[in-house]
Amino acid sequence: MKPMQSDPTVQPVPASVVATVDAADTTLSNPRWAVVALGANLGNRLETLQGAVDALADTPGLRVKAVSPVYETEPWGVEPDTQPAYFNAVALVKTTLPPSSLLERAHAVEEAFHRVREERWGARTIDVDIVAYADVISEDPVLTLPHPRAHQRAFVLAPWHDVDPEAQLPGHGTVAALLAAVGDEGIARRTDLELRLPE
């Protein structure tokens, strides 16, 4: 009887890969809530926001569960009248994607709508920001959670509060209290505009 020879193509699976697969499996069996902020101030702003919502809904492992009213907002961080006004909205999603994959998808949606990153606070066709992911608090410079400036931005807090009045921003308290603190100057709800929830 010939001795069994090991198959050189079969290699032990590295522990790091096993851990990653196990973590992904846990995520898949436990969908998480995430809050995604959308903003646009170039081109057909409403059409672009709807396109971004639809693109998110087309993502495997992600369901858009709620979409906020649309707000018109003065540009943040720039001189007055140097940019068109923004349309802003918030989407609540339930996802099996880990935060890093959700970020990749957000960037892919921005690229699909020709987002150009030339200057900070620059005008853009679309901005897709992950505001919060479950109760995760992370200082990772690639994806800081929750979004480091969300608690200061009425254009995020107001639409978020509209779709989830009981919402909490991890590490900062209730969205209602944060919104009351920053006020609603510079934002206006556009009751004449509406984003459709994907079917």
Side-chain angles (χ1 to χ4, degrees):
M1 184 172 175
K2 292 175 66 176
M4 296 274 298
Q5 289 190 331
S6 62
D7 184 343
T9 64
V10 178
Q11 299 293 326
V13 178
S16 60
V17 174
V18 173
T20 301
V21 171
D22 287 348
D25 188 53
T26 301
T27 304
L28 286 171
S29 62
N30 294 293
R32 304 295 182 90
W33 284 98
V35 181
V36 179
L38 306 169
N41 75 333
L42 294 177
N44 187 324
R45 298 168 293 173
L46 185 66
E47 186 177 284
T48 300
L49 289 185
Q50 185 66 59
V53 170
D54 293 343
L56 287 171
D58 285 341
T59 305
L62 187 152
R63 294 288 177 270
V64 178
K65 306 298 285 185
V67 181
S68 76
V70 176
Y71 280 76
E72 190 160 19
T73 308
E74 295 172 5
W76 171 277
V78 298
E79 291 295 319
D81 302 320
T82 58
Q83 286 185 22
Y86 276 85
F87 281 176
N88 290 100
V90 161
L92 302 186
V93 306
K94 208 165 189 180
T95 183
T96 57
L97 298 175
S100 58
S101 298
L102 185 57
L103 179 64
E104 288 176 7
R105 181 56 177 163
H107 287 167
V109 173
E110 290 180 341
E111 288 172 13
F113 287 93
H114 310 294
R115 163 73 189 272
V116 176
R117 297 175 184 272
E118 290 182 341
E119 58 179 307
R120 193 175 193 196
W121 317 124
R124 72 278 315 259
T125 53
I126 188 68
D127 202 9
V128 182
D129 283 333
I130 301 170
V131 175
Y133 182 98
D135 295 324
V136 174
I137 296 178
S138 169
E139 297 294 333
D140 185 336
V142 176
L143 176 58
T144 303
L145 290 170
H147 190 287
R149 291 172 294 280
H151 64 287
Q152 304 168 329
R153 294 179 166 179
F155 63 83
V156 172
L157 298 170
W160 186 3
H161 183 262
D162 284 340
V163 287
D164 187 0
E166 305 299 318
Q168 299 229 6
L169 183 63
H172 293 279
T174 67
V175 170
L178 294 169
L179 180 58
V182 300
D184 58 4
E185 185 177 351
I187 66 169
R189 183 170 169 175
R190 290 291 301 266
T191 56
D192 57 321
L193 304 176
E194 185 178 7
L195 293 171
R196 300 181 313 276
L197 190 64
E199 296 180 359

PDB file of all heavy atoms in Angstrom, residues 70-99:
ATOM      1  N   VAL A  70     -37.416  65.884   2.194  1.00  0.00           N
ATOM      2  CA  VAL A  70     -36.279  66.604   1.613  1.00  0.00           C
ATOM      3  C   VAL A  70     -36.168  67.980   2.277  1.00  0.00           C
ATOM      4  O   VAL A  70     -37.175  68.670   2.494  1.00  0.00           O
ATOM      5  CB  VAL A  70     -36.467  66.774   0.088  1.00  0.00           C
ATOM      6  CG1 VAL A  70     -35.326  67.607  -0.507  1.00  0.00           C
ATOM      7  CG2 VAL A  70     -36.546  65.406  -0.590  1.00  0.00           C
ATOM      8  N   TYR A  71     -34.934  68.344   2.593  1.00  0.00           N
ATOM      9  CA  TYR A  71     -34.663  69.676   3.150  1.00  0.00           C
ATOM     10  C   TYR A  71     -33.775  70.436   2.177  1.00  0.00           C
ATOM     11  O   TYR A  71     -32.884  69.854   1.545  1.00  0.00           O
ATOM     12  CB  TYR A  71     -33.958  69.576   4.498  1.00  0.00           C
ATOM     13  CG  TYR A  71     -34.891  69.281   5.648  1.00  0.00           C
ATOM     14  CD1 TYR A  71     -35.403  68.002   5.837  1.00  0.00           C
ATOM     15  CD2 TYR A  71     -35.280  70.293   6.527  1.00  0.00           C
ATOM     16  CE1 TYR A  71     -36.284  67.738   6.887  1.00  0.00           C
ATOM     17  CE2 TYR A  71     -36.147  70.037   7.576  1.00  0.00           C
ATOM     18  CZ  TYR A  71     -36.648  68.754   7.750  1.00  0.00           C
ATOM     19  OH  TYR A  71     -37.512  68.501   8.782  1.00  0.00           O
ATOM     20  N   GLU A  72     -34.006  71.743   2.079  1.00  0.00           N
ATOM     21  CA  GLU A  72     -33.107  72.610   1.319  1.00  0.00           C
ATOM     22  C   GLU A  72     -32.222  73.335   2.323  1.00  0.00           C
ATOM     23  O   GLU A  72     -32.712  73.879   3.321  1.00  0.00           O
ATOM     24  CB  GLU A  72     -33.885  73.604   0.466  1.00  0.00           C
ATOM     25  CG  GLU A  72     -32.984  74.351  -0.517  1.00  0.00           C
ATOM     26  CD  GLU A  72     -33.773  74.957  -1.677  1.00  0.00           C
ATOM     27  OE1 GLU A  72     -35.007  75.111  -1.555  1.00  0.00           O
ATOM     28  OE2 GLU A  72     -33.156  75.279  -2.696  1.00  0.00           O
ATOM     29  N   THR A  73     -30.930  73.324   2.054  1.00  0.00           N
ATOM     30  CA  THR A  73     -29.951  73.728   3.060  1.00  0.00           C
ATOM     31  C   THR A  73     -28.900  74.654   2.471  1.00  0.00           C
ATOM     32  O   THR A  73     -28.395  74.413   1.371  1.00  0.00           O
ATOM     33  CB  THR A  73     -29.231  72.463   3.609  1.00  0.00           C
ATOM     34  OG1 THR A  73     -30.199  71.520   4.030  1.00  0.00           O
ATOM     35  CG2 THR A  73     -28.313  72.807   4.750  1.00  0.00           C
ATOM     36  N   GLU A  74     -28.568  75.678   3.220  1.00  0.00           N
ATOM     37  CA  GLU A  74     -27.453  76.527   2.817  1.00  0.00           C
ATOM     38  C   GLU A  74     -26.158  75.716   2.902  1.00  0.00           C
ATOM     39  O   GLU A  74     -25.983  74.920   3.829  1.00  0.00           O
ATOM     40  CB  GLU A  74     -27.359  77.741   3.746  1.00  0.00           C
ATOM     41  CG  GLU A  74     -28.556  78.675   3.667  1.00  0.00           C
ATOM     42  CD  GLU A  74     -28.526  79.765   4.726  1.00  0.00           C
ATOM     43  OE1 GLU A  74     -27.510  79.839   5.466  1.00  0.00           O
ATOM     44  OE2 GLU A  74     -29.498  80.527   4.823  1.00  0.00           O
ATOM     45  N   PRO A  75     -25.242  75.888   1.953  1.00  0.00           N
ATOM     46  CA  PRO A  75     -23.982  75.121   1.986  1.00  0.00           C
ATOM     47  C   PRO A  75     -23.224  75.335   3.291  1.00  0.00           C
ATOM     48  O   PRO A  75     -23.203  76.433   3.840  1.00  0.00           O
ATOM     49  CB  PRO A  75     -23.196  75.662   0.790  1.00  0.00           C
ATOM     50  CG  PRO A  75     -24.247  76.176  -0.140  1.00  0.00           C
ATOM     51  CD  PRO A  75     -25.327  76.728   0.746  1.00  0.00           C
ATOM     52  N   TRP A  76     -22.603  74.284   3.750  1.00  0.00           N
ATOM     53  CA  TRP A  76     -21.880  74.267   5.032  1.00  0.00           C
ATOM     54  C   TRP A  76     -20.402  74.590   4.794  1.00  0.00           C
ATOM     55  O   TRP A  76     -19.778  74.048   3.883  1.00  0.00           O
ATOM     56  CB  TRP A  76     -22.046  72.871   5.633  1.00  0.00           C
ATOM     57  CG  TRP A  76     -21.232  72.551   6.846  1.00  0.00           C
ATOM     58  CD1 TRP A  76     -19.932  72.123   6.861  1.00  0.00           C
ATOM     59  CD2 TRP A  76     -21.637  72.593   8.212  1.00  0.00           C
ATOM     60  NE1 TRP A  76     -19.517  71.905   8.145  1.00  0.00           N
ATOM     61  CE2 TRP A  76     -20.543  72.182   9.002  1.00  0.00           C
ATOM     62  CE3 TRP A  76     -22.815  72.933   8.856  1.00  0.00           C
ATOM     63  CZ2 TRP A  76     -20.595  72.108  10.382  1.00  0.00           C
ATOM     64  CZ3 TRP A  76     -22.872  72.852  10.228  1.00  0.00           C
ATOM     65  CH2 TRP A  76     -21.780  72.440  10.980  1.00  0.00           C
ATOM     66  N   GLY A  77     -19.845  75.469   5.594  1.00  0.00           N
ATOM     67  CA  GLY A  77     -18.402  75.676   5.594  1.00  0.00           C
ATOM     68  C   GLY A  77     -17.860  76.538   4.473  1.00  0.00           C
ATOM     69  O   GLY A  77     -16.653  76.562   4.248  1.00  0.00           O
ATOM     70  N   VAL A  78     -18.744  77.245   3.737  1.00  0.00           N
ATOM     71  CA  VAL A  78     -18.272  78.099   2.637  1.00  0.00           C
ATOM     72  C   VAL A  78     -18.917  79.479   2.760  1.00  0.00           C
ATOM     73  O   VAL A  78     -19.874  79.679   3.503  1.00  0.00           O
ATOM     74  CB  VAL A  78     -18.607  77.483   1.256  1.00  0.00           C
ATOM     75  CG1 VAL A  78     -17.904  76.151   1.079  1.00  0.00           C
ATOM     76  CG2 VAL A  78     -20.116  77.327   1.067  1.00  0.00           C
ATOM     77  N   GLU A  79     -18.368  80.429   2.008  1.00  0.00           N
ATOM     78  CA  GLU A  79     -18.924  81.778   2.010  1.00  0.00           C
ATOM     79  C   GLU A  79     -20.343  81.763   1.421  1.00  0.00           C
ATOM     80  O   GLU A  79     -20.624  81.014   0.489  1.00  0.00           O
ATOM     81  CB  GLU A  79     -18.042  82.710   1.169  1.00  0.00           C
ATOM     82  CG  GLU A  79     -16.681  82.993   1.781  1.00  0.00           C
ATOM     83  CD  GLU A  79     -16.795  83.763   3.086  1.00  0.00           C
ATOM     84  OE1 GLU A  79     -17.629  84.683   3.156  1.00  0.00           O
ATOM     85  OE2 GLU A  79     -16.061  83.424   4.037  1.00  0.00           O
ATOM     86  N   PRO A  80     -21.239  82.612   1.959  1.00  0.00           N
ATOM     87  CA  PRO A  80     -22.603  82.664   1.433  1.00  0.00           C
ATOM     88  C   PRO A  80     -22.620  82.980  -0.065  1.00  0.00           C
ATOM     89  O   PRO A  80     -21.794  83.741  -0.566  1.00  0.00           O
ATOM     90  CB  PRO A  80     -23.252  83.798   2.243  1.00  0.00           C
ATOM     91  CG  PRO A  80     -22.444  83.869   3.500  1.00  0.00           C
ATOM     92  CD  PRO A  80     -21.031  83.503   3.111  1.00  0.00           C
ATOM     93  N   ASP A  81     -23.561  82.373  -0.756  1.00  0.00           N
ATOM     94  CA  ASP A  81     -23.811  82.620  -2.189  1.00  0.00           C
ATOM     95  C   ASP A  81     -22.668  82.184  -3.105  1.00  0.00           C
ATOM     96  O   ASP A  81     -22.593  82.617  -4.257  1.00  0.00           O
ATOM     97  CB  ASP A  81     -24.121  84.104  -2.442  1.00  0.00           C
ATOM     98  CG  ASP A  81     -25.316  84.582  -1.640  1.00  0.00           C
ATOM     99  OD1 ASP A  81     -26.296  83.815  -1.535  1.00  0.00           O
ATOM    100  OD2 ASP A  81     -25.265  85.711  -1.110  1.00  0.00           O
ATOM    101  N   THR A  82     -21.764  81.325  -2.608  1.00  0.00           N
ATOM    102  CA  THR A  82     -20.691  80.841  -3.483  1.00  0.00           C
ATOM    103  C   THR A  82     -21.018  79.464  -4.066  1.00  0.00           C
ATOM    104  O   THR A  82     -20.301  78.999  -4.952  1.00  0.00           O
ATOM    105  CB  THR A  82     -19.353  80.742  -2.712  1.00  0.00           C
ATOM    106  OG1 THR A  82     -19.505  79.862  -1.598  1.00  0.00           O
ATOM    107  CG2 THR A  82     -18.897  82.115  -2.233  1.00  0.00           C
ATOM    108  N   GLN A  83     -22.078  78.840  -3.573  1.00  0.00           N
ATOM    109  CA  GLN A  83     -22.505  77.531  -4.081  1.00  0.00           C
ATOM    110  C   GLN A  83     -24.028  77.480  -4.114  1.00  0.00           C
ATOM    111  O   GLN A  83     -24.695  78.180  -3.349  1.00  0.00           O
ATOM    112  CB  GLN A  83     -22.022  76.407  -3.165  1.00  0.00           C
ATOM    113  CG  GLN A  83     -20.556  76.074  -3.228  1.00  0.00           C
ATOM    114  CD  GLN A  83     -20.241  74.857  -2.363  1.00  0.00           C
ATOM    115  OE1 GLN A  83     -21.105  74.042  -2.061  1.00  0.00           O
ATOM    116  NE2 GLN A  83     -18.988  74.743  -1.967  1.00  0.00           N
ATOM    117  N   PRO A  84     -24.578  76.608  -4.977  1.00  0.00           N
ATOM    118  CA  PRO A  84     -26.029  76.393  -4.940  1.00  0.00           C
ATOM    119  C   PRO A  84     -26.437  75.746  -3.612  1.00  0.00           C
ATOM    120  O   PRO A  84     -25.619  75.116  -2.932  1.00  0.00           O
ATOM    121  CB  PRO A  84     -26.278  75.422  -6.101  1.00  0.00           C
ATOM    122  CG  PRO A  84     -25.041  75.462  -6.939  1.00  0.00           C
ATOM    123  CD  PRO A  84     -23.916  75.814  -6.021  1.00  0.00           C
ATOM    124  N   ALA A  85     -27.705  75.904  -3.259  1.00  0.00           N
ATOM    125  CA  ALA A  85     -28.231  75.270  -2.048  1.00  0.00           C
ATOM    126  C   ALA A  85     -28.269  73.745  -2.221  1.00  0.00           C
ATOM    127  O   ALA A  85     -28.363  73.226  -3.335  1.00  0.00           O
ATOM    128  CB  ALA A  85     -29.628  75.789  -1.746  1.00  0.00           C
ATOM    129  N   TYR A  86     -28.191  73.062  -1.103  1.00  0.00           N
ATOM    130  CA  TYR A  86     -28.258  71.600  -1.104  1.00  0.00           C
ATOM    131  C   TYR A  86     -29.687  71.116  -0.929  1.00  0.00           C
ATOM    132  O   TYR A  86     -30.506  71.768  -0.280  1.00  0.00           O
ATOM    133  CB  TYR A  86     -27.445  71.020   0.069  1.00  0.00           C
ATOM    134  CG  TYR A  86     -25.986  70.877  -0.221  1.00  0.00           C
ATOM    135  CD1 TYR A  86     -25.123  71.954  -0.036  1.00  0.00           C
ATOM    136  CD2 TYR A  86     -25.454  69.675  -0.678  1.00  0.00           C
ATOM    137  CE1 TYR A  86     -23.766  71.837  -0.298  1.00  0.00           C
ATOM    138  CE2 TYR A  86     -24.104  69.554  -0.940  1.00  0.00           C
ATOM    139  CZ  TYR A  86     -23.269  70.631  -0.754  1.00  0.00           C
ATOM    140  OH  TYR A  86     -21.931  70.515  -1.020  1.00  0.00           O
ATOM    141  N   PHE A  87     -29.967  69.941  -1.483  1.00  0.00           N
ATOM    142  CA  PHE A  87     -31.089  69.133  -1.044  1.00  0.00           C
ATOM    143  C   PHE A  87     -30.481  68.049  -0.163  1.00  0.00           C
ATOM    144  O   PHE A  87     -29.488  67.418  -0.546  1.00  0.00           O
ATOM    145  CB  PHE A  87     -31.813  68.487  -2.222  1.00  0.00           C
ATOM    146  CG  PHE A  87     -32.742  69.415  -2.960  1.00  0.00           C
ATOM    147  CD1 PHE A  87     -33.399  68.976  -4.101  1.00  0.00           C
ATOM    148  CD2 PHE A  87     -32.976  70.720  -2.540  1.00  0.00           C
ATOM    149  CE1 PHE A  87     -34.257  69.806  -4.799  1.00  0.00           C
ATOM    150  CE2 PHE A  87     -33.822  71.568  -3.237  1.00  0.00           C
ATOM    151  CZ  PHE A  87     -34.478  71.103  -4.365  1.00  0.00           C
ATOM    152  N   ASN A  88     -31.072  67.847   1.009  1.00  0.00           N
ATOM    153  CA  ASN A  88     -30.582  66.841   1.944  1.00  0.00           C
ATOM    154  C   ASN A  88     -31.704  65.910   2.361  1.00  0.00           C
ATOM    155  O   ASN A  88     -32.868  66.314   2.435  1.00  0.00           O
ATOM    156  CB  ASN A  88     -30.003  67.488   3.204  1.00  0.00           C
ATOM    157  CG  ASN A  88     -28.705  68.217   2.947  1.00  0.00           C
ATOM    158  OD1 ASN A  88     -28.694  69.437   2.817  1.00  0.00           O
ATOM    159  ND2 ASN A  88     -27.621  67.478   2.860  1.00  0.00           N
ATOM    160  N   ALA A  89     -31.337  64.673   2.653  1.00  0.00           N
ATOM    161  CA  ALA A  89     -32.298  63.693   3.149  1.00  0.00           C
ATOM    162  C   ALA A  89     -31.522  62.625   3.915  1.00  0.00           C
ATOM    163  O   ALA A  89     -30.295  62.554   3.851  1.00  0.00           O
ATOM    164  CB  ALA A  89     -33.084  63.060   1.997  1.00  0.00           C
ATOM    165  N   VAL A  90     -32.260  61.808   4.631  1.00  0.00           N
ATOM    166  CA  VAL A  90     -31.680  60.697   5.382  1.00  0.00           C
ATOM    167  C   VAL A  90     -32.434  59.424   5.037  1.00  0.00           C
ATOM    168  O   VAL A  90     -33.671  59.445   4.919  1.00  0.00           O
ATOM    169  CB  VAL A  90     -31.748  60.981   6.904  1.00  0.00           C
ATOM    170  CG1 VAL A  90     -31.591  59.709   7.713  1.00  0.00           C
ATOM    171  CG2 VAL A  90     -30.683  61.986   7.305  1.00  0.00           C
ATOM    172  N   ALA A  91     -31.695  58.348   4.872  1.00  0.00           N
ATOM    173  CA  ALA A  91     -32.293  57.029   4.659  1.00  0.00           C
ATOM    174  C   ALA A  91     -31.947  56.129   5.840  1.00  0.00           C
ATOM    175  O   ALA A  91     -30.793  56.100   6.282  1.00  0.00           O
ATOM    176  CB  ALA A  91     -31.781  56.409   3.356  1.00  0.00           C
ATOM    177  N   LEU A  92     -32.935  55.430   6.344  1.00  0.00           N
ATOM    178  CA  LEU A  92     -32.697  54.401   7.352  1.00  0.00           C
ATOM    179  C   LEU A  92     -32.638  53.069   6.636  1.00  0.00           C
ATOM    180  O   LEU A  92     -33.558  52.726   5.875  1.00  0.00           O
ATOM    181  CB  LEU A  92     -33.820  54.382   8.394  1.00  0.00           C
ATOM    182  CG  LEU A  92     -34.092  55.672   9.170  1.00  0.00           C
ATOM    183  CD1 LEU A  92     -35.145  55.410  10.248  1.00  0.00           C
ATOM    184  CD2 LEU A  92     -32.817  56.213   9.801  1.00  0.00           C
ATOM    185  N   VAL A  93     -31.555  52.344   6.852  1.00  0.00           N
ATOM    186  CA  VAL A  93     -31.387  51.076   6.153  1.00  0.00           C
ATOM    187  C   VAL A  93     -31.140  49.955   7.158  1.00  0.00           C
ATOM    188  O   VAL A  93     -30.652  50.184   8.263  1.00  0.00           O
ATOM    189  CB  VAL A  93     -30.223  51.131   5.137  1.00  0.00           C
ATOM    190  CG1 VAL A  93     -30.396  52.306   4.181  1.00  0.00           C
ATOM    191  CG2 VAL A  93     -28.864  51.205   5.826  1.00  0.00           C
ATOM    192  N   LYS A  94     -31.515  48.762   6.750  1.00  0.00           N
ATOM    193  CA  LYS A  94     -31.195  47.572   7.522  1.00  0.00           C
ATOM    194  C   LYS A  94     -30.259  46.758   6.641  1.00  0.00           C
ATOM    195  O   LYS A  94     -30.564  46.509   5.470  1.00  0.00           O
ATOM    196  CB  LYS A  94     -32.460  46.786   7.849  1.00  0.00           C
ATOM    197  CG  LYS A  94     -32.357  45.988   9.131  1.00  0.00           C
ATOM    198  CD  LYS A  94     -33.725  45.521   9.593  1.00  0.00           C
ATOM    199  CE  LYS A  94     -33.600  44.932  10.994  1.00  0.00           C
ATOM    200  NZ  LYS A  94     -34.900  44.460  11.498  1.00  0.00           N
ATOM    201  N   THR A  95     -29.118  46.363   7.185  1.00  0.00           N
ATOM    202  CA  THR A  95     -28.108  45.755   6.329  1.00  0.00           C
ATOM    203  C   THR A  95     -27.349  44.634   7.022  1.00  0.00           C
ATOM    204  O   THR A  95     -27.179  44.651   8.239  1.00  0.00           O
ATOM    205  CB  THR A  95     -27.105  46.830   5.832  1.00  0.00           C
ATOM    206  OG1 THR A  95     -26.175  46.227   4.931  1.00  0.00           O
ATOM    207  CG2 THR A  95     -26.353  47.476   6.990  1.00  0.00           C
ATOM    208  N   THR A  96     -26.933  43.676   6.217  1.00  0.00           N
ATOM    209  CA  THR A  96     -26.042  42.622   6.693  1.00  0.00           C
ATOM    210  C   THR A  96     -24.595  42.941   6.347  1.00  0.00           C
ATOM    211  O   THR A  96     -23.695  42.177   6.677  1.00  0.00           O
ATOM    212  CB  THR A  96     -26.419  41.263   6.077  1.00  0.00           C
ATOM    213  OG1 THR A  96     -26.382  41.365   4.651  1.00  0.00           O
ATOM    214  CG2 THR A  96     -27.815  40.835   6.503  1.00  0.00           C
ATOM    215  N   LEU A  97     -24.368  44.069   5.668  1.00  0.00           N
ATOM    216  CA  LEU A  97     -23.000  44.457   5.317  1.00  0.00           C
ATOM    217  C   LEU A  97     -22.281  44.992   6.549  1.00  0.00           C
ATOM    218  O   LEU A  97     -22.873  45.767   7.319  1.00  0.00           O
ATOM    219  CB  LEU A  97     -23.013  45.544   4.239  1.00  0.00           C
ATOM    220  CG  LEU A  97     -23.637  45.208   2.894  1.00  0.00           C
ATOM    221  CD1 LEU A  97     -23.659  46.445   2.010  1.00  0.00           C
ATOM    222  CD2 LEU A  97     -22.879  44.083   2.209  1.00  0.00           C
ATOM    223  N   PRO A  98     -21.020  44.654   6.729  1.00  0.00           N
ATOM    224  CA  PRO A  98     -20.245  45.305   7.794  1.00  0.00           C
ATOM    225  C   PRO A  98     -19.996  46.761   7.410  1.00  0.00           C
ATOM    226  O   PRO A  98     -20.133  47.139   6.239  1.00  0.00           O
ATOM    227  CB  PRO A  98     -18.947  44.498   7.835  1.00  0.00           C
ATOM    228  CG  PRO A  98     -18.821  43.894   6.473  1.00  0.00           C
ATOM    229  CD  PRO A  98     -20.223  43.659   5.982  1.00  0.00           C
ATOM    230  N   PRO A  99     -19.633  47.602   8.367  1.00  0.00           N
ATOM    231  CA  PRO A  99     -19.450  49.025   8.070  1.00  0.00           C
ATOM    232  C   PRO A  99     -18.503  49.298   6.912  1.00  0.00           C
ATOM    233  O   PRO A  99     -18.761  50.186   6.094  1.00  0.00           O
ATOM    234  CB  PRO A  99     -18.899  49.588   9.388  1.00  0.00           C
ATOM    235  CG  PRO A  99     -19.437  48.681  10.438  1.00  0.00           C
ATOM    236  CD  PRO A  99     -19.460  47.311   9.810  1.00  0.00           C
TER     237      PRO A  99
END
